[in-house]
Amino acid sequence: MEIKKMKPYIQTIGFSPEKNPMERMIRRILFLLLLCSPAITAAQSVFMPDSLEGALSKKQIFEPVYFRIGQSMIDPDFKGNRGRLSRFVLSLQQILADSNYVVSRVVVTGMASPEGAQERNLQLASDRAKALSNYILQNTILSADRIKVINGGENWNGLRAMIETSHMRYRSEMLRLMDRYPDDRDARKHAMQYWAESEAWKWMYQYFFPSLRMSAGYLELSALNRENRNRTRQSVLASDIESGCCPVLLEKVDRISDPVEKEYQQPCILLPRISLKTDLMLWGGVMPGFKMGTWTPNLSAEIYFGRHWSGQAGYAYSNWNTFTSSKELYALSAAELEVRSWLGKTSWLQGFYLGLYGTYGEYDVQLGVQGQTGSFWAAGIGAGYMQPLSMHWGLEIQVRSGYRSVRNNQYDIEQEHYYFARRETKGLFSPQVRLQLVYRFGKQKKD
């Protein structure tokens, strides 16, 4: 079926059937077209500027492409862009090759998040729209006159929609400030950015702004709106088409009606309760004081309480040869406790922290014909940073500085016999670097 045959069908939707053979024939063709036409994919809703909101009432196939901060070059490996670009181009290619579809146009809009200078953001939005437009032209047979490029500028409407559907802290204050300065962008941004020592702005910067740095491509297709759907249903019911076909036709009419917009899903935040972690430095044999030992399995558990506090307990153990020789022994058994204070203003317990730690352990080290065995304790302070890698996984780096007291017994080894040599107790400065892989358990919450 050619595209041009679709136009009379679209124009006659909603007219009551006439009682003459010609109109009956047209009516039958209309119903057959409804029966054979595939359902058009419902579009996802997106936060568009005001000039684009009307387009959402039409049938669309929509895919967003996200950009790194300050960039207008499409990165297929960023935030799942490769999959969305492939789906959009494949859908467009299939529709262009299918005469059952009528392509109204492809609309490409570029947007920017509101941080930074307005002039720079407008240029970024324009460049992002052009980048996606060029990508579509390069990967489809679509001509340039079928693409409409729109500079969406700073996506304040999108930011407002995200705030309204969220449970973020200072939500009502952010909305009030947006209403207070509807026409003064700089005053609005300044007031929002520095409210409550920038806590709300920093939160939005991390969780909202990345979704605003985008270029959206959507494909408009001819479809039935709600009014025409109701009229068409009435025409089907009033027709003389065989009764067995009516349910199928009515279902087909409903399937190509208005798209159902999906509510924006705010990113979830993990409120941690407990975590398990292991120190990669000990696995690599790097001991406190930066001395080399052997690979040392270790496990720690951290429990979080309050908004800014946690306590950690851990254990490490080794009893086998050193890295350098199969005849050298490095045995260690150590336990530790640490109390931490998290410095962030949120209850997510990530970012920078300070800690007080204490360690007790026993050891036995045999290097050639001499050995050392004894016990030790250590105490000190530490500072670190916890970087989330995903909802549950994280990487933690910590620098420690403390005092270490060692009660050491030296002995000589002769033909597998051990002879006590001397005993000493000494104290020393003991720096340490820890690199821990963390898995957190907790409650997911929209915050």
Side-chain angles (χ1 to χ4, degrees):
M1 181 178 59
E2 299 295 329
I3 292 180
K4 63 183 181 180
K5 295 181 180 180
M6 293 285 287
K7 294 182 179 180
Y9 152 58
I10 296 295
Q11 294 170 353
T12 57
I13 289 178
F15 287 84
S16 301
E18 301 293 338
K19 302 299 183 179
N20 62 67
M22 180 60 67
E23 290 297 325
R24 184 178 295 108
M25 179 65 67
I26 294 176
R27 194 167 62 250
R28 288 179 180 272
I29 293 175
L30 183 151
F31 295 144
L32 289 175
L33 287 171
L34 283 172
L35 184 63
C36 297
S37 63
I40 300 176
T41 305
Q44 295 178 335
S45 68
V46 62
F47 302 118
M48 293 290 188
D50 294 334
S51 59
L52 298 179
E53 289 177 350
L56 291 175
S57 63
K58 301 180 181 180
K59 282 293 182 180
Q60 304 157 354
I61 294 177
F62 165 82
E63 290 291 352
V65 177
Y66 297 103
F67 293 83
R68 298 184 186 275
I69 183 171
Q71 301 295 318
S72 59
M73 180 180 299
I74 294 178
D75 183 354
D77 297 321
F78 181 64
K79 291 178 69 67
N81 283 339
R82 187 182 303 277
R84 287 188 291 270
L85 286 168
S86 298
R87 287 193 299 270
F88 185 80
V89 169
L90 179 61
S91 299
L92 181 55
Q93 291 173 339
Q94 292 175 343
I95 290 170
L96 290 173
D98 192 338
S99 59
N100 289 323
Y101 289 96
V102 177
V103 178
S104 302
R105 61 181 176 177
V106 174
V107 180
V108 177
T109 180
M111 301 180 190
S113 51
E115 81 276 14
Q118 184 177 23
E119 182 178 352
R120 171 59 176 161
N121 289 338
L122 291 175
Q123 185 62 49
L124 271 176
S126 175
D127 293 343
R128 288 168 178 172
K130 293 177 182 177
L132 182 55
S133 174
N134 293 335
Y135 183 91
I136 295 173
L137 291 175
Q138 294 170 4
N139 290 274
T140 68
I141 60 173
L142 198 69
S143 58
D145 59 351
R146 303 289 294 278
I147 297 181
K148 182 177 181 180
V149 178
I150 297 177
N151 184 345
E154 294 179 340
N155 195 359
W156 286 98
N157 285 349
L159 179 59
R160 183 184 185 90
M162 292 180 179
I163 296 173
E164 287 178 343
T165 58
S166 75
H167 300 284
M168 64 174 288
R169 193 176 184 186
Y170 302 117
R171 171 183 176 275
S172 59
E173 289 82 357
M174 292 295 101
L175 293 175
R176 186 173 67 250
L177 291 175
M178 296 186 81
D179 293 336
R180 182 181 299 175
Y181 305 102
D183 301 320
D184 191 337
R185 178 263 184 193
D186 291 337
R188 176 172 67 246
K189 177 187 172 185
H190 185 273
M192 295 176 67
Q193 184 173 358
Y194 295 103
W195 180 268
E197 298 181 351
S198 300
E199 179 178 344
W201 187 265
K202 292 177 181 177
W203 192 93
M204 294 188 297
Y205 182 88
Q206 182 176 0
Y207 294 102
F208 284 171
F209 287 8
S211 297
L212 303 178
R213 306 176 191 121
M214 59 176 289
S215 181
Y218 60 92
L219 175 62
E220 296 183 359
L221 305 177
S222 298
L224 299 179
N225 58 30
R226 184 175 287 102
E227 180 182 1
N228 282 338
R229 176 191 64 189
N230 294 333
R231 291 178 180 176
T232 306
R233 287 177 61 90
Q234 294 174 2
S235 297
V236 172
L237 294 173
S239 69
D240 59 352
I241 294 294
E242 291 76 13
S243 59
C245 295
C246 284
V248 179
L249 294 174
L250 292 175
E251 179 184 1
K252 186 67 67 172
V253 171
D254 292 337
R255 290 173 62 188
I256 62 174
S257 60
D258 290 336
V260 177
E261 297 186 1
K262 298 181 180 179
E263 181 182 358
Y264 170 76
Q265 299 296 324
Q266 180 188 351
C268 287
I269 303 301
L270 183 70
L271 301 180
R273 294 293 178 261
I274 187 173
S275 67
L276 297 178
K277 56 184 69 176
T278 187
D279 187 358
L280 304 180
M281 301 293 284
L282 290 180
W283 281 96
V286 181
M287 301 296 163
F290 304 107
K291 296 180 179 180
M292 291 301 299
T294 188
W295 64 280
T296 306
N298 64 96
L299 183 66
S300 298
E302 186 172 13
I303 299 177
Y304 305 92
F305 50 91
R307 291 175 58 88
H308 301 284
W309 294 92
S310 65
Q312 176 176 296
Y315 181 75
Y317 177 84
S318 66
N319 188 15
W320 35 74
N321 298 331
T322 65
F323 286 135
T324 57
S325 175
S326 61
K327 297 181 180 181
E328 296 179 346
L329 174 69
Y330 197 101
L332 173 69
S333 176
E336 75 160 25
L337 294 174
E338 182 178 4
V339 177
R340 294 179 173 180
S341 173
W342 296 81
L343 304 181
K345 294 185 179 181
T346 67
S347 59
W348 310 324
L349 299 169
Q350 55 184 255
F352 290 101
Y353 64 88
L354 298 176
L356 296 174
Y357 72 91
T359 305
Y360 177 82
E362 297 179 346
Y363 64 94
D364 187 6
V365 179
Q366 297 177 6
L367 303 175
V369 296
Q370 291 184 335
Q372 301 182 59
T373 185
S375 61
F376 66 90
W377 63 266
I381 62 174
Y385 186 88
M386 193 285 187
Q387 174 61 50
L389 302 178
S390 65
M391 178 71 71
H392 295 278
W393 289 97
L395 194 63
E396 185 177 291
I397 185 170
Q398 182 186 36
V399 178
R400 287 178 166 183
S401 177
Y403 176 82
R404 184 183 184 94
S405 177
V406 181
R407 184 177 182 182
N408 185 52
N409 298 311
Q410 295 188 10
Y411 58 90
D412 299 324
I413 306 173
E414 296 181 7
Q415 298 179 354
E416 298 184 358
H417 294 281
Y418 306 95
Y419 300 95
F420 175 78
R422 62 183 178 275
R423 177 181 293 126
E424 62 179 351
T425 300
K426 58 182 179 180
L428 65 158
F429 169 71
S430 180
Q432 183 182 8
V433 174
R434 309 188 76 189
L435 182 63
Q436 292 184 297
L437 183 64
V438 183
Y439 187 87
R440 289 184 161 192
F441 302 88
K443 180 180 178 181
Q444 296 184 16
K445 180 180 179 181
K446 293 180 180 180
D447 200 341

